[in-house]
Amino acid sequence: MSTIAKPTVKTYQNYINGQWVASSSGETFPVFDPSTEETIAHVASATAADVDKAVKAARAAFDSGPWAQTTAQDRGRILFKIADKIRQNTAMLAELETRNCGKPIVEAEYDLADVATCFEYYGGLANKVTGHVNPVPANALSFTLREPVGVAAQIIPWNFPLLMAAWKLAPAIAAGCTCVLKPAEQTPLTAMELANWFAEAGLPPGVVNVVNGLGEVTGAALVAHPGVDKVAFTGSAAVGKIIVKSAADTLKRVTLELGGKSPNVFFADADWEAAVDGALFGVFINQGEVCSAGSRVLVEKKIYTKFVEAMTEKAKRIKLGPPLDRDTKMGPLVSKEQYDRVTSYLEIGKKEAKTAIGGGRAKAFGKGYYVEPTIFYDVQNSARIAREEIFGPVASVIPFENEAEAIRISNDTPYGLAAAVWTRDIYKAFRVVKSIRAGIVWVNHMQPTYVEAPWGGYKQSGFGRELGPWGLEEYLETKQVFVNLDEAPIGWY
Ligand code: NAI
Ligand code: MG
């Protein structure tokens, strides 16, 4: 068991226009440690009036503040300063992240390294945004300017709390946008700690605001606000659809990352040890609370029975435990709501398919939202556990006969975020890569994610891309400039 002393229960305000402000309603909501079910903080609930203040602050900072005069180099330096703060405070942030969302501390440390790297990447990219000269057939100069899209509303989930904040904030700041970030109500704490450093890093008041509260209240007010130019959202497909409808009223730009039901495809010729390991890693890392989880494990019939057995044997050794323990490989799910959702799918799965291992609450724990790593097999691709995102440690193993069938089943889903294929045959590997309709395809691995490479989905997994230059692109407008070099009048009339 962890011996780290319990921190005091803090109350966090919202961060608006460079100030920490209480809710206009005076209300707060509790934030929990999912491993103990205890309250670890209280956070001010931002009302529609508070959201309005935050958007107006972001609007003013964008339209008339000093921010518009900052150079791309200045913005890059600010991002590097934020990254430095994160690196200096990694231990504190990783512990807070783990306490708040239940992920193993070692995974939280990896996340924190990625958070800092993301700010550094966009710090470096800020002054590499360039326009284009257009070869128009006129005595003129035609070129493009890249300009920030404006005020960005950024709504993020609870599975990688600070990393999702970084994926949203870093490119927006690099582009010169201003932001109103709404963390998930389950996991706002690390983003609030981050906000402590914004002013010191050089962000003028109003450039980044952080508001907290329920999605249906605070998030909805933010998305509907006419002062917002762009919405960037990561979360459920159901909420993604609500956001697109609401944003349509003022034609906001929208980018969506909505998760999926990603196939992890194993051919008989795959490296055996790597494959079994990759099947488990693909779906059980971060308790399976991963948008790109390889939750459909497709296995060639020739190796199917042996593969399910090997997965099951290895899954028995996954160490569940208090997430602050360094040898824990799986912590609790993030919340009671998520625990209820996942365990309800376990009941469905037990009826729809066969259970190799797991299927319920992890009984060793009196408290906390612990769920056993679960493997269902002989799953039909039409089953609910093969079609609906569960977002927990639940694998649905599906047999396939040949390459064509593997591709057909892989694509038979409304989603298209990610996929992986495991084989030693490069011809087959690349044929499958080309045939799968997904935004990310891994070969002989699953889940590695780097800020240099694009992230986002096809089909109902959303639209737009995060990370790399693609992520910055989503925060930029393109202005066409035409400069007439011909001094004569147009002479039409
Ligand atoms: P959610 O989609 O409701 O929440 C994600 C974010 O959206 C949170 O910040 C929430 O406050 C906000 N939100 C919720 N309703 C909103 C609304 N009407 N307007 C504006 N913002 C709103 O996800 P939830 O309920 O936490 O999880 C449900 C399921 O969603 C999970 O089981 C999983 O399948 C999926 N999910 C997918 C994620 C991904 O990475 N793509 C992340 C989190 C959840
Ligand atoms: Mg929800």
Side-chain angles (χ1 to χ4, degrees):
M1 288 295 287
S2 172
T3 53
I4 300 172
K6 274 186 199 156
T8 50
V9 177
K10 273 202 212 176
T11 298
Y12 292 82
Q13 311 294 7
N14 291 304
Y15 187 72
I16 298 174
N17 207 20
Q19 311 277 330
W20 291 102
V21 292
S23 163
S24 60
S25 68
E27 281 172 23
T28 63
F29 61 92
V31 172
F32 301 98
D33 175 338
S35 71
T36 62
E37 305 179 31
E38 286 169 11
T39 299
I40 54 169
H42 298 276
V43 177
S45 322
T47 61
D50 298 325
V51 168
D52 181 56
K53 264 210 253 170
V55 174
K56 284 186 174 140
R59 192 76 263 163
F62 186 81
D63 292 334
S64 50
W67 187 238
Q69 313 313 324
T70 56
T71 65
Q73 284 192 347
D74 293 336
R75 297 196 298 274
R77 286 190 197 102
I78 290 169
L79 289 164
F80 277 107
K81 282 188 191 149
I82 295 173
D84 286 346
K85 282 289 182 188
I86 292 158
R87 292 206 184 277
Q88 287 154 16
N89 292 279
T90 290
M92 178 277 283
L93 290 169
E95 189 190 319
L96 188 62
E97 196 83 303
T98 285
R99 281 188 195 280
N100 193 176
C101 74
K103 71 171 66 203
I105 183 73
V106 175
E107 290 184 34
E109 288 165 1
Y110 278 111
D111 289 1
L112 260 296
D114 286 349
V115 170
T117 303
C118 182
F119 281 101
E120 286 158 358
Y121 177 86
Y122 284 106
L125 198 59
N127 66 345
K128 286 153 199 84
V129 176
T130 55
H132 205 85
V133 178
N134 312 305
V136 297
N139 184 18
L141 267 182
S142 173
F143 56 91
T144 57
L145 296 177
R146 308 308 311 279
E147 297 182 337
V149 77
V151 174
Q154 305 179 312
I155 300 178
I156 57 171
W158 41 259
N159 52 344
F160 295 88
L162 198 59
L163 189 58
M164 292 300 101
W167 285 22
K168 300 280 183 285
L169 294 176
I173 293 169
C177 289
T178 60
C179 307
V180 182
L181 176 75
K182 196 204 82 67
E185 56 270 33
Q186 297 85 353
T187 57
L189 303 187
T190 46
M192 301 311 285
E193 292 295 337
L194 183 71
N196 271 319
W197 302 317
F198 288 159
E200 193 186 329
L203 287 173
V207 173
V208 179
N209 307 273
V210 189
V211 293
N212 289 287
L214 294 179
E216 307 80 70
V217 181
T218 314
L222 190 52
V223 174
H225 200 294
V228 168
D229 297 297
K230 177 209 160 76
V231 181
F233 172 74
T234 301
S236 62
V239 172
K241 289 170 192 177
I242 294 172
I243 285 177
V244 171
K245 287 181 190 146
S246 167
D249 284 338
T250 51
L251 287 176
K252 297 177 177 79
R253 282 96 183 97
V254 179
T255 48
L256 302 171
E257 204 276 70
L258 307 176
K261 197 73 198 178
S262 296
N264 198 1
V265 181
F266 296 90
F267 286 99
D269 66 350
D271 179 289
W272 182 261
E273 290 299 321
V276 173
D277 201 47
L280 299 180
F281 186 82
V283 65
F284 292 148
I285 192 75
N286 204 47
Q287 300 77 237
E289 295 167 321
V290 179
C291 51
S292 55
S295 50
R296 286 188 299 150
V297 179
L298 274 55
V299 183
E300 191 168 353
K301 276 184 185 158
K302 277 184 223 157
I303 56 166
Y304 178 75
T305 304
K306 237 181 94 196
F307 198 85
V308 174
E309 283 166 11
M311 275 181 76
T312 305
E313 275 314 301
K314 202 157 185 184
K316 285 182 189 159
R317 301 203 295 271
I318 294 175
K319 189 165 181 318
L320 269 74
L324 284 170
D325 285 2
R326 297 201 69 82
D327 56 351
T328 288
K329 293 283 196 230
M330 196 182 279
L333 299 182
V334 71
S335 64
K336 170 82 167 48
E337 187 191 357
Q338 195 59 18
Y339 173 87
D340 289 343
R341 193 192 326 262
V342 171
T343 50
S344 79
Y345 274 110
L346 296 179
E347 295 314 309
I348 294 167
K350 283 185 249 178
K351 292 188 199 111
E352 286 183 329
K354 294 178 187 145
T355 310
I357 187 171
R361 179 181 176 78
K363 292 178 195 68
F365 306 91
K367 278 229 165 97
Y369 308 122
Y370 292 92
V371 169
E372 295 172 311
T374 298
I375 300 173
F376 291 121
Y377 68 107
D378 288 0
V379 178
Q380 300 288 322
N381 195 52
S382 54
R384 287 187 63 190
I385 58 165
R387 301 205 79 77
E388 298 172 23
E389 186 174 55
I390 299 175
F391 230 66
V394 186
S396 296
V397 189
I398 303 170
F400 68 83
E401 189 68 52
N402 54 32
E403 185 182 325
E405 195 184 24
I407 292 166
R408 186 186 59 72
I409 296 171
S410 291
N411 285 332
D412 180 7
T413 168
Y415 290 109
L417 182 59
V421 53
W422 301 69
T423 172
R424 284 191 169 103
D425 177 343
I426 61 162
Y427 297 96
K428 189 157 63 185
F430 285 110
R431 282 196 301 266
V432 174
V433 165
K434 273 190 78 174
S435 306
I436 290 187
R437 303 268 305 149
I440 302 137
V441 187
W442 291 287
V443 177
N444 295 332
H445 208 322
M446 192 169 210
Q447 303 308 353
T449 302
Y450 298 98
V451 67
E452 294 82 2
W455 186 267
Y458 287 18
K459 296 157 74 177
Q460 290 191 33
S461 290
F463 38 75
R465 290 293 178 272
E466 297 189 277
L467 303 184
W470 302 269
L472 186 61
E473 204 49 46
E474 306 283 2
Y475 289 93
L476 293 169
E477 289 281 15
T478 300
K479 179 177 282 173
Q480 185 226 127
V481 184
F482 178 93
V483 184
N484 180 23
L485 301 178
D486 202 347
E487 290 188 36
I490 298 171
W492 192 262
Y493 304 108

